[in-house]
Amino acid sequence: MRRARWMTAAALLIAASTLAGCAAEGSAHPRDAASGGPPATNSPSSRATVDPVAAAADQRLRNLTLRQKVASLFMLHVAGTDPAVLREFVERYGLGGVILMPDNIPATPEALAAETAATRASDPGLPPLVGIDEEGGDVTRLPWDGQPGAETLRAQPPAATRAAFAARAALLKQVGVNLNFGTIADVTADPHSFIADRILGTDPASSAARVAASVSGERGTVLSTLKHFPGHGETEADSHRTVPTAAVDHARWATQDAPSFRAGIAAGAEVVMFGHLAYSGVDAAPASLSPTWHRILVDELGFHGVTITDDLRMLQDTGLPQYADAGADAVAAIAAGNTMVLMIQGADTDPDALIDAVVAAVDDGRIPASRIDADARALLELRGSIASRG
């Protein structure tokens, strides 16, 4: 029913544009009439055009309640390989996405394809984002992915990275995964760094070249993600256990860490993942909860796509009291500027409670309703674009 409504609305919009064009063709521009010149023509370039994906996103947004909009901003996880369980999980909470972890990966590509197909069954025109960390090397979820990882690729020309990620993207599309958290844009020459084995380059130039190649390889097949903004290479600490903090100022970041992200954005990456790490010379808060870092990404790197947190559960796992409340973390993440919240929630985390916490923050003014609308619409359009290209 919902799908029929937005398709009808899109058709009406297109019809309205056509009628407007016909009216224009029947009258001359005032300047043309005064000069006695020929009647003005309405060339194809001057006709109003309607993007059907954007029109559908607008129509769907108008039909959503606040709670449905908020729910669409969450990418969560449910364990197991049963397609029915995965489908029920997405539909019950109205999620915008799910992340596949090792416990979701069955023995064959065909079985995984059946899982992901189940998430699209109720509304093929609006598939949820199905994300996975398929970097290759140390972080490989698909046992049938034989493509090289970063440790091999950083010693080879950038063309090898492009080829590896193109092949990897084809594998992901085959099994119904549409979003890869696969491109490490972090840079470090420190072999003791937590991220050292996963980087595509040990200096800004070599990293930038391979990050761009990675995105180029995935382009048009799966959505590409750059992680972990603003860069995990400035610290040895593991953000799964603590909030790594480095006394990095803006000037250092701009020359050391920014080039890889800039290159990936220029290559067309659709998503940027924010890390739970703090550069105290810029903002003492973790970047994932920092409005300052979100402004820098937009204003200085020109990124206007979708942003997502790294797993919010990681903040709770630090044991720091200020991050103990998952709902409060989700509110802070969206208030900071993230389009989407990613969480591999534990058994003690209720998805309804996460959604309720953000709804309450909108109701009492901590998060503007306009921000929820903008984020929900961005995700509706992104998900609709996936459906439109097949």
Side-chain angles (χ1 to χ4, degrees):
M1 291 292 292
R2 288 184 299 166
R3 186 169 185 245
R5 285 200 298 271
W6 73 254
M7 290 180 70
T8 301
L12 289 172
L13 284 170
I14 293 169
S17 295
T18 303
L19 290 173
C22 292
E25 289 175 357
S27 62
H29 189 282
R31 184 173 58 82
D32 295 328
S35 64
T41 60
N42 193 15
S43 66
S45 62
S46 66
R47 290 193 184 114
T49 59
V50 176
D51 179 347
V53 173
D58 289 335
Q59 179 61 29
R60 284 182 180 267
L61 185 69
R62 286 192 289 270
N63 291 331
L64 294 178
T65 65
L66 172 60
R67 197 172 196 285
Q68 288 172 324
K69 293 172 189 176
V70 169
S72 77
L73 310 186
F74 283 88
M75 174 178 282
L76 302 180
H77 171 255
V78 63
T81 59
D82 185 340
V85 170
L86 197 58
R87 175 178 176 171
E88 192 277 336
F89 181 68
V90 173
E91 292 179 356
R92 175 183 175 186
Y93 297 108
L95 302 176
V98 290
I99 181 169
L100 302 179
M101 297 300 289
D103 60 11
N104 298 123
I105 309 302
T108 67
E110 293 77 15
L112 183 53
E115 282 183 49
T116 59
T119 69
R120 304 187 297 273
S122 63
D123 193 350
L126 191 69
L129 296 176
V130 179
I132 196 169
D133 295 288
E134 194 66 22
E135 301 171 16
D138 284 357
V139 182
T140 300
R141 306 295 191 219
L142 306 182
W144 50 86
D145 178 2
Q147 295 302 314
E151 282 192 289
T152 299
L153 294 173
R154 64 174 173 260
Q156 297 179 351
T161 298
R162 187 187 189 285
F165 276 83
R168 184 167 288 126
L171 290 176
L172 293 174
K173 184 173 183 179
Q174 177 190 12
V175 297
V177 174
N178 51 42
L179 171 59
N180 190 19
F181 300 126
T183 299
I184 296 289
D186 309 314
V187 183
T188 184
D190 180 1
H192 302 294
S193 171
F194 156 72
I195 206 74
D197 292 341
R198 298 160 58 192
I199 58 168
L200 288 166
T202 57
D203 62 85
S206 66
S207 176
R210 287 164 182 80
V211 165
S214 169
V215 173
S216 177
E218 293 182 328
R219 189 75 173 156
T221 306
V222 296
L223 302 174
S224 295
T225 306
L226 307 176
K227 62 184 187 184
H228 308 79
F229 190 80
H232 213 310
E234 297 282 7
T235 173
E236 295 182 2
D238 180 353
S239 56
H240 291 87
R241 300 181 177 88
T242 187
V243 176
T245 301
V248 173
D249 61 14
H250 183 275
R252 162 76 180 183
W253 170 80
T255 57
Q256 172 70 12
D257 304 285
S260 296
F261 289 96
R262 193 185 303 276
I265 291 166
E270 296 91 348
V271 181
V272 170
M273 176 182 283
F274 274 73
H276 305 309
L277 45 105
Y279 288 180
S280 59
V282 178
D283 190 346
S288 55
L289 307 183
S290 166
T292 298
W293 278 115
H294 282 80
R295 285 194 298 270
I296 288 172
L297 180 66
V298 174
D299 295 344
E300 298 185 25
L301 300 191
F303 183 73
H304 298 282
V306 165
T307 55
I308 189 168
T309 67
D310 203 346
D311 175 16
L312 275 192
R313 182 75 184 189
M314 294 160 60
L315 285 176
Q316 289 184 291
D317 289 345
T318 65
L320 296 170
Q322 63 265 41
Y323 306 124
D325 185 328
D329 293 342
V331 169
I334 292 173
N338 290 286
T339 317
M340 199 169 209
V341 171
L342 168 64
M343 188 170 191
I344 304 166
Q345 70 281 5
D348 58 340
T349 305
D350 178 7
D352 277 326
L354 295 174
I355 297 165
D356 289 343
V358 178
V359 170
V362 178
D363 286 340
D364 67 20
R366 285 173 289 157
I367 298 176
S370 59
R371 168 159 287 171
I372 300 298
D373 282 351
D375 291 343
R377 191 198 177 283
L379 290 169
L380 286 169
E381 189 164 357
L382 186 65
R383 292 163 61 191
S385 73
I386 294 169
S388 69
R389 71 189 185 194

